[in-house]
Amino acid sequence: PSPPAPRKRVHDTAPRHVPDMLVGFRAELAGRSIVYSADTCFNPEVLDQLEERGILSAERKASLCSDCSVQPADLLLHEAGVPPTHTPISALAALPESIRRNVRLIHMSDERAAGSGFAKVRPGLEHTICIDAEPPRHAEAKQILQILQATDLFRSFDVASACDVLACIVPRSYTAGAIICRAGEAGPALLRIVRSGAVQYAGISGATRTLGYCDYFGEGEVMLTDGRHRATATAMTDVEMLEIERGDVQYLLRRRPQLLHRIQQRAQLLDHAPSWAAIGANSVFASFSMSQVTQLQSVMREETVRCGDVVWKKGKEVCDSVLVGDAELAFRELPDASGVSDEDLEPFRAGALLVNVYALEQRLPHEMTLTAVTAGTIFRIASADLFELLDHNPGAFIWMRDALVVC
């Protein structure tokens, strides 16, 4: 019989510093391991003192010294902040060579790291540390499925549909500097999903984005028939891509009219300057990856308002949120409220997101009437679409959870 496939295991290492907020871990795959200390203070001298005072048992102290934040691993990412609440460099320097050679420092300044004798972890995908491990069986298929699950196009597919997608996908590589497609030129209509690397995406509207893992593009070409690319995509690094031809994409979506409608709507917005301007003017949405912007644009419903139009009416049920385009909005009753400052009376302009997550969840009525101060465009996001978006983007939910306006 075939040997069992390598299993992935993750263990909590129970940090002692800020224990209610941070958790260290050990991750194992195919016999290789990574330990992440989190914000954990490792100091054997202090642990000896705690044992002498009867606060720690000998067994607990031994565990904290040998199998928690510090333990044999192929990569040991350990904090080394300012003592005494953080791990002193001297404690890490005293470790056996077999452990010490795999230590990389986190949570400390470049200046302190320079004289420590240890390498410091550098931020950014380009500085990713890779630990080679024997790939488990079906590793490539599993990775592709994980990428598909991370996109709004395919995450709802069942097993049979996912098998269809796997049969259609063609992996392709591009070297750094290569032009993947050029705006206005004729070429094959492909849906492209970034598997690794970074791609510069410049749309006809002038908006430029950096695409990374799981971001996709080409849906405009797939939905249209003129055979010309709608953006220039350039490989910023060596890039691995997953590509699906137009006919295969349309076959996959034919039985999913709602999903097809979203993609068509998104394709129409790719070069739509007002939607890009509104997203770029919002502090939360501006930091979204291309795949997150894609999800957002697919649920934005553009609406033209005239001066004096009612966007939300007091007493009506809260059923959507509003992202302001080039219009200006204001609450009608706000000038008569007590304790209102001049700043509060400023109208909501481009990029302001008016959202009340609690009211949406509880289906509460609007407390004030929102009207258009100037003519222009706004974008509505229905409550169901917003909650689906937040389910897949928890960082955005944290920003919106207790806010009424996110500018």
Side-chain angles (χ1 to χ4, degrees), residues 35-67:
V35 170
Y36 178 78
S37 74
D39 202 5
T40 302
C41 178
F42 172 77
N43 191 336
E45 292 183 4
V46 172
L47 295 176
D48 286 339
Q49 295 171 8
L50 294 176
E51 181 191 11
E52 292 173 1
R53 293 164 57 188
I55 297 174
L56 288 179
S57 66
E59 294 78 9
R60 178 59 175 158
K61 188 200 77 171
S63 174
L64 293 175
C65 286
S66 61
D67 60 10

Side-chain angles (χ1 to χ4, degrees), residues 286-316:
S287 63
F288 268 22
S289 68
M290 186 64 174
S291 63
Q292 290 174 310
V293 170
T294 297
Q295 296 172 48
L296 176 60
Q297 285 187 312
S298 69
V299 298
M300 290 168 55
R301 181 165 56 85
E302 185 178 6
E303 181 179 320
T304 300
V305 294
R306 298 167 301 179
C307 180
D309 281 354
V310 173
V311 178
W312 289 340
K313 187 174 182 179
K314 181 178 179 180
K316 292 286 188 179

Side-chain angles (χ1 to χ4, degrees), residues 89-151:
I89 290 294
S90 58
L92 298 176
L95 294 171
E97 167 61 19
S98 59
I99 296 178
R100 191 171 67 247
R101 64 170 175 257
N102 295 326
V103 171
R104 299 292 184 274
L105 299 181
I106 59 175
H107 197 22
M108 72 179 310
S109 66
D110 292 339
E111 292 75 16
R112 292 186 60 239
S116 68
F118 294 96
K120 181 189 174 186
V121 173
R122 300 172 66 190
L125 290 174
E126 66 274 21
H127 301 303
T128 298
I129 301 173
C130 297
I131 305 298
D132 294 330
E134 179 183 350
R137 289 180 298 173
H138 315 302
E140 183 174 26
K142 180 180 178 182
Q143 184 197 43
I144 292 175
L145 289 173
Q146 288 174 332
I147 292 173
L148 297 179
Q149 188 180 30
T151 70

Side-chain angles (χ1 to χ4, degrees), residues 38-260:
D39 202 5
T40 302
C41 178
F42 172 77
N43 191 336
E45 292 183 4
V46 172
L47 295 176
D48 286 339
Q49 295 171 8
L50 294 176
E51 181 191 11
E52 292 173 1
R53 293 164 57 188
I55 297 174
L56 288 179
S57 66
E59 294 78 9
R60 178 59 175 158
K61 188 200 77 171
S63 174
L64 293 175
C65 286
S66 61
D67 60 10
C68 283
S69 69
V70 170
Q71 54 181 291
D74 295 292
L75 176 63
L76 175 54
L77 303 170
H78 207 289
E79 70 88 32
V82 178
T85 56
H86 297 277
T87 301
I89 290 294
S90 58
L92 298 176
L95 294 171
E97 167 61 19
S98 59
I99 296 178
R100 191 171 67 247
R101 64 170 175 257
N102 295 326
V103 171
R104 299 292 184 274
L105 299 181
I106 59 175
H107 197 22
M108 72 179 310
S109 66
D110 292 339
E111 292 75 16
R112 292 186 60 239
S116 68
F118 294 96
K120 181 189 174 186
V121 173
R122 300 172 66 190
L125 290 174
E126 66 274 21
H127 301 303
T128 298
I129 301 173
C130 297
I131 305 298
D132 294 330
E134 179 183 350
R137 289 180 298 173
H138 315 302
E140 183 174 26
K142 180 180 178 182
Q143 184 197 43
I144 292 175
L145 289 173
Q146 288 174 332
I147 292 173
L148 297 179
Q149 188 180 30
T151 70
D152 58 315
L153 296 187
F154 302 112
R155 68 164 56 100
S156 63
F157 277 24
D158 55 27
V159 175
S161 299
C163 291
D164 288 342
V165 178
L166 285 175
C168 297
I169 281 179
V170 177
R172 187 166 281 117
S173 301
Y174 297 90
T175 58
I179 302 298
I180 300 170
C181 61
R182 194 184 300 275
E185 292 186 357
L190 301 171
L191 178 67
R192 293 180 165 102
I193 308 174
V194 181
R195 188 177 188 178
S196 66
V199 174
Q200 184 184 64
Y201 180 89
I204 295 175
S205 66
T208 300
R209 290 264 177 173
T210 298
L211 312 187
Y213 177 70
C214 292
D215 287 335
Y216 66 88
F217 61 99
E219 62 272 37
E221 291 89 330
V222 168
M223 291 295 108
L224 302 178
T225 57
D226 61 4
R228 297 189 179 277
H229 295 295
R230 305 182 66 184
T232 297
T234 307
M236 300 172 66
T237 65
D238 289 344
V239 172
E240 296 294 326
M241 199 81 72
L242 301 176
E243 299 180 345
I244 311 177
E245 293 184 358
R246 171 197 284 161
D248 292 326
V249 174
Q250 292 180 343
Y251 165 76
L252 292 168
L253 301 179
R254 195 169 296 138
R255 292 173 293 175
R256 298 170 177 81
Q258 184 177 5
L259 184 57
L260 178 60

Side-chain angles (χ1 to χ4, degrees), residues 311-373:
V311 178
W312 289 340
K313 187 174 182 179
K314 181 178 179 180
K316 292 286 188 179
E317 181 182 315
V318 178
C319 59
D320 60 16
S321 57
V322 170
L323 177 65
V324 182
D326 56 4
E328 293 185 4
L329 309 181
F331 286 109
R332 180 181 295 171
E333 298 85 357
L334 201 57
D336 298 326
S338 60
V340 175
S341 66
D342 292 340
E343 184 179 359
D344 293 330
L345 296 177
E346 286 290 316
F348 303 109
R349 298 186 173 92
L353 176 70
L354 288 85
V355 57
N356 188 331
V357 174
Y358 180 76
L360 285 168
E361 287 178 325
Q362 303 299 317
R363 305 181 70 173
L364 300 176
H366 287 290
E367 296 182 359
M368 289 187 288
T369 297
L370 181 66
T371 61
V373 178

